[in-house]
Amino acid sequence: MEMKELEFVPSLEETAMKIKQIKILAKEFFGAPKCSTEGGDLSILERWFTELGVGWVLHVADGAPAGEFAHALDASSWIPALSKIVDTYRLTSGLLPGHGPAEEEEPARESGEQNMAEQLQFARFFQQAMLKMLSFVDFIVAPNLTRQVVFVADGVPVPVPAPCEKLYTLLRVRQTLSKIQLPFYSSSSAEVERIQGEIVNVLSAKEGKVGEAIWSAMEEIRTQILESLEDGQGSSGTQTPQGSSDIDKATTSVMMYVMFLQRKYWLMAPIVSEAASVDKYVPRFGAVQPLISLELEMVSCLEEKLANKSEAFPDQGLRFLFLLNNSSFIADKLHDTPYFPKSYQVDLAGKVEGYMKRYIQVSWSPVLSCLINPTPSCLGKNNSPLPKFESEFQKIYTTQKLWKVPRS
């Protein structure tokens, strides 16, 4: 579950104090004897990052193995830390004449050259901080950075493709990057404006890189799920030679992913549309948005595979119960989803009704016919159909008593 952070508006005194603190950090960063090749003392950045809860980011930036930082995969500390760094940069408006409370604390005799020097010093400090923070993007887009994820559905653990959690993290990071709006103020220093432009370019490049990684993760998940449709085992692990009426594990996996795409529609849709525009993805359903086409393709493929699997069931009653359970599960998940075509939902509801009728027809019609329209073979002593009915009913009961009708 995602929670919105409470926003607090600092007082003028608090803002002035923060500006003073960050100016001190910037001076220490460039004035300390342990300056790095980037021109600053990274221990100062590490101290600040540690206060923000992301001291590990500097080690990622230095090329430490990704496995050492698997705890950071969810970006739970990185996202708020980046937001605080950007907010800190916004406070530097006080370094410009006529902007914010910092002007009040500046001595009247302070020269314009000194003010400009502070602007440039902080711009460079902020640039180094952002470059180190954005190195996290390269860390999370690494192809091998995944871990196994297990969801629990109706009390049963359901393994899903490992890239699912990575995909969720990538989406959160991209959403964060897309919302960053740096407050660029006109400056008399061409160097400050150049630095600001470089930061914007880096942000744009990182956002594009995350977008590409999201599409790659989506393709990997889709491939793994579609490959799982070839698996002949049921999800409950109780598959018998006659088959199982339980909801198939492929049905659970496909619908879990489709519903994830539905919930993240406004984040996913632009990425899939972009992939379609450069022919990385060719939608099969041209009358809908590319993301909806992708979902339709997966659900249609699932239905086809379920139908093919059911053909191997020797008992026709079990076959139609299997199709009924799985189709009902799909229909329930898609019911009233805002972006999925209503026509498909209507067609699916019709299939569910058809499977129900076929199940009743092949399983219970022979039994009920002994009562409704008894033939001579159904009549026993005293021309009563009850003995035959009871016998047929017992056969059906014995056969079907262990068949599952899962609750959707």
Side-chain angles (χ1 to χ4, degrees), residues 2 43 63-64 83 93 102 135 146 151 154 183 193 204 244 254 256 258 289 301 329 400:
E2 298 179 4
S43 67
S83 299
S93 61
S135 65
T146 58
F151 289 97
D154 292 333
E193 293 186 355
S204 178
S244 170
V254 170
M256 188 178 295
V258 168
Q289 292 292 324
C301 183
F329 182 86
Q400 299 192 9

Side-chain angles (χ1 to χ4, degrees), residues 143-175:
N144 60 341
L145 186 63
T146 58
R147 67 173 182 237
Q148 183 64 44
V149 183
V150 176
F151 289 97
V152 176
D154 292 333
V156 179
V158 181
V160 296
C164 278
E165 184 167 337
K166 179 179 178 179
L167 176 59
Y168 178 68
T169 298
L170 290 169
L171 285 170
R172 294 180 65 202
V173 169
R174 191 173 195 269
Q175 188 175 23

Side-chain angles (χ1 to χ4, degrees), residues 234-253:
S235 62
S236 65
T238 58
Q239 183 82 345
T240 67
Q242 291 75 35
S244 170
S245 63
D246 204 354
I247 295 173
D248 196 82
K249 67 178 182 180
T251 303
T252 303
S253 296

